[in-house]
Amino acid sequence: MFEWIRFIAGTGFLATGIVIFAIELYGAFHYDYVLNRMHMAAFGDTFGIGVSLVGLMLINGLDFTTLKMMLVILFLWCASPVSSHLIARLEAATNEKLEEHMEVEKE
Amino acid sequence: MSRKKTEKEYEKTFACHFFRWLHGEKDLYVGQMEMRPQEVYQESKEEAEKRQRAKNILLNKIYGRKKSKSIKYLELFYRLASILFCGILIYLLLLTVSWLPPIGVADRPVNNEVSKRYIEKGLEETGAINIVSGMILDYRAFDTLGESHVLFVATVTVLIMLRLDKKHDNGTDLSIEEAEANDRNYEPKNDAILQMSAYVLVPAIILFGIYVILNGHLGPGGGFSGGAIIGAGLILYLNAFGFQKTERFFTEKTYKWISFGSLSFYCIAKSYSFYTGANHIESMIPKGTPGAILSSGLILPLNIAVGLVVACTMYAFYAMFRKGGF
């Protein structure tokens, strides 16, 4: 019984992750402006990967591999948002026509 | 009863868009995204003349083409000889390929006593559980020494080509400070988020690299992979905190001494080991018990030396391409 619950929960998480990746893909191709598309990409790279890995961890059960997967989640959650943030900052610093796409606070 | 739509109505539907995209009639990228096809570079007449003049000056002043005819002949000879050389090389390589034995035959020359010996006696003779480590750092250690030297020579070449002086010397090139300022013009400086994540990640990355190096003889890993991990950690630290922070512990002098020390240690240690081995003298280097961290003779120190060279080379490449020196 417990095995079945674990399996169903794990596959549920994995399926959710796949749906999130699908949303990410759609958003990355649907939007025009780079910051919107980058938002979608970063969303998939953090939330989608996190949920999928949690699903894999549930299916795998508690052992050393699970701990390693936890470390992978931690590492990806450090790396992906930071790199997206840096690229976004570069775009905001170099785009001269930023006002066309968003409200910019005047200094 | 079927619903009929006019063509204009149909063009707005999702199905129309989808099938047009599927048949390749509509490119999603064109006009929609922020990208333009690159224009073909067209040189104006003045620029072409200027380029030709610069080329002539180079040929005349540096190679002295006007002064001697022999250089012209040498150039011709050089071209002919290179074509001839390439032809011969292609012929030889194709000939060798035609002599190769077919795939999957049991008595191929690769399938000989060497690999058998590596697998059967590797643990006993080198003391390393990881047979690959035993191979590259014991049986074939000179090969690995050559690889480390290739890395070193590559850095030296990059240094020769990209090196900038600390100050202006003739007013044409940038100085190091200007190059850095120029390079970081648009880059976010002292980004708090990047600094925080580097603060958390860099120690873990470097520790993991050290673990990979020290475990090279016990499991997968070794000097090259561990050194690459440490180099990546150093580059992350440099990106987050800038050159001023890294120059407190890593300068050109550090690079020079670490590379020199590691390579010469490798060279001397392995020369000693090969000399004693070839002359059947007891080498006095303890093998230790296989599986312990301090075991397998020279492999662990050699792994550390290779790791240091690789880490420094990675960092030096990055610093050199970034601002032409460090």
Side-chain angles (χ1 to χ4, degrees):
Chain A
M1 187 64 202
F2 177 70
E3 284 289 304
W4 272 104
I5 292 171
R6 208 178 70 182
F7 179 74
I8 289 168
T11 34
F13 270 107
L14 262 182
T16 321
I18 290 169
V19 169
I20 289 165
F21 277 125
I23 295 171
E24 173 205 352
L25 257 177
Y26 174 72
F29 285 97
H30 176 252
Y31 288 120
D32 293 340
Y33 186 49
V34 59
L35 288 182
N36 298 359
R37 286 161 61 199
M38 233 165 56
H39 169 226
M40 292 314 292
F43 164 74
D45 279 354
T46 49
F47 192 44
I49 280 181
V51 169
S52 311
L53 280 175
V54 166
L56 286 180
M57 277 156 67
L58 278 175
I59 291 174
N60 188 52
L62 188 68
D63 61 2
F64 207 67
T65 317
T66 313
L67 294 176
K68 280 182 190 169
M69 277 195 246
M70 231 142 88
L71 214 63
V72 169
I73 293 181
L74 193 78
F75 212 84
L76 282 172
W77 280 13
C78 282
S80 169
V82 171
S83 53
S84 308
H85 158 75
L86 285 174
I87 300 172
R89 219 180 129 170
L90 192 69
E91 161 73 14
T94 52
N95 196 345
E96 290 169 358
K97 296 169 184 167
L98 208 59
E99 290 86 0
E100 289 176 10
H101 301 285
M102 65 184 90
E103 291 177 13
V104 181
E105 218 173 286
K106 295 267 183 331
E107 285 160 21
Chain B
M1 180 185 144
S2 65
R3 241 179 344 159
K4 281 194 178 172
K5 281 184 175 174
T6 59
E7 202 170 328
K8 272 194 176 176
E9 272 177 339
Y10 175 67
E11 270 174 11
K12 286 176 189 169
T13 56
F14 173 74
C16 172
H17 286 294
F18 179 72
F19 282 110
R20 274 172 72 192
W21 170 75
L22 196 67
H23 296 310
E25 286 166 21
K26 185 188 165 199
D27 195 339
L28 280 177
Y29 286 105
V30 174
Q32 302 278 325
M33 304 273 184
E34 314 162 64
M35 49 162 98
R36 271 168 234 103
Q38 198 177 4
E39 287 168 12
V40 181
Y41 177 68
Q42 276 173 340
E43 204 173 30
S44 69
K45 212 174 177 186
E46 293 157 21
E47 275 175 349
E49 277 173 7
K50 201 176 163 191
R51 190 166 55 83
Q52 195 58 42
R53 229 179 296 138
K55 198 181 169 189
N56 282 337
I57 289 171
L58 187 82
L59 285 174
N60 293 335
K61 279 202 173 167
I62 297 176
Y63 297 106
R65 192 191 240 181
K66 255 186 189 169
K67 281 174 196 159
S68 64
K69 263 191 172 172
S70 60
I71 289 181
K72 232 177 184 175
Y73 289 127
L74 184 71
E75 227 167 61
L76 193 70
F77 170 75
Y78 179 79
R79 284 186 187 162
L80 286 178
S82 57
I83 290 171
L84 201 68
F85 176 76
C86 285
I88 292 173
L89 197 68
I90 290 168
Y91 172 71
L92 280 179
L93 289 174
L94 285 177
L95 198 67
T96 319
V97 168
S98 74
W99 282 343
L100 284 179
I103 294 170
V105 179
D107 55 347
R108 293 179 74 185
V110 179
N111 197 5
N112 57 11
E113 68 280 353
V114 177
S115 45
K116 202 176 161 194
R117 169 134 186 169
Y118 285 162
I119 293 168
E120 282 177 354
K121 293 208 170 170
L123 179 60
E124 181 191 328
E125 285 177 353
T126 65
I129 291 178
N130 184 359
I131 297 176
V132 177
S133 243
M135 241 187 305
I136 65 166
L137 288 169
D138 200 303
Y139 291 116
R140 300 186 172 184
F142 265 136
D143 184 61
T144 313
L145 178 66
E147 280 165 28
S148 314
H149 276 101
V150 165
L151 277 176
F152 182 66
V153 171
T155 335
V156 171
T157 317
V158 173
L159 189 75
I160 291 169
M161 296 210 283
L162 294 180
R163 166 106 198 232
L164 293 175
D165 287 324
K166 284 256 191 288
K167 288 176 207 154
H168 282 286
D169 53 350
N170 49 15
T172 49
D173 288 338
L174 299 165
S175 70
I176 278 195
E177 285 86 14
E178 280 170 346
E180 195 192 351
N182 192 22
D183 179 58
R184 304 195 73 178
N185 202 1
Y186 291 115
E187 192 191 331
K189 284 169 199 131
N190 299 328
D191 190 280
I193 297 174
L194 178 63
Q195 282 186 349
M196 191 61 211
S197 67
Y199 186 77
V200 175
L201 284 183
V202 167
I205 292 173
I206 291 181
L207 203 66
F208 182 63
I210 291 170
Y211 160 77
V212 169
I213 288 180
L214 293 186
N215 259 315
H217 55 298
L218 302 178
F224 283 102
S225 35
I229 293 168
I230 293 181
L234 282 176
I235 290 172
L236 178 60
Y237 186 81
L238 170 64
N239 264 325
F241 296 101
F243 278 100
Q244 282 172 350
K245 282 269 173 81
T246 50
E247 272 164 12
R248 288 188 309 191
F249 63 88
F250 199 98
T251 58
E252 212 166 339
K253 225 177 203 172
T254 335
Y255 171 70
K256 209 163 65 186
W257 282 110
I258 288 180
S259 286
F260 168 70
S262 309
L263 290 176
S264 50
F265 166 74
Y266 194 118
C267 203
I268 291 165
K270 219 50 223 179
S271 300
Y272 170 75
S273 148
F274 275 130
Y275 181 78
T276 52
N279 292 307
H280 302 289
I281 306 167
E282 187 64 34
S283 76
M284 312 286 286
I285 300 166
K287 290 259 158 43
T289 49
I293 189 88
L294 288 175
S295 68
S296 69
L298 271 175
I299 289 178
L300 180 62
L302 294 185
N303 253 336
I304 294 172
V306 172
L308 282 174
V309 172
V310 172
C312 291
T313 306
M314 293 261 302
Y315 178 82
F317 266 150
Y318 185 79
M320 219 93 75
F321 277 105
R322 179 97 180 256
K323 67 167 194 172
F326 52 103

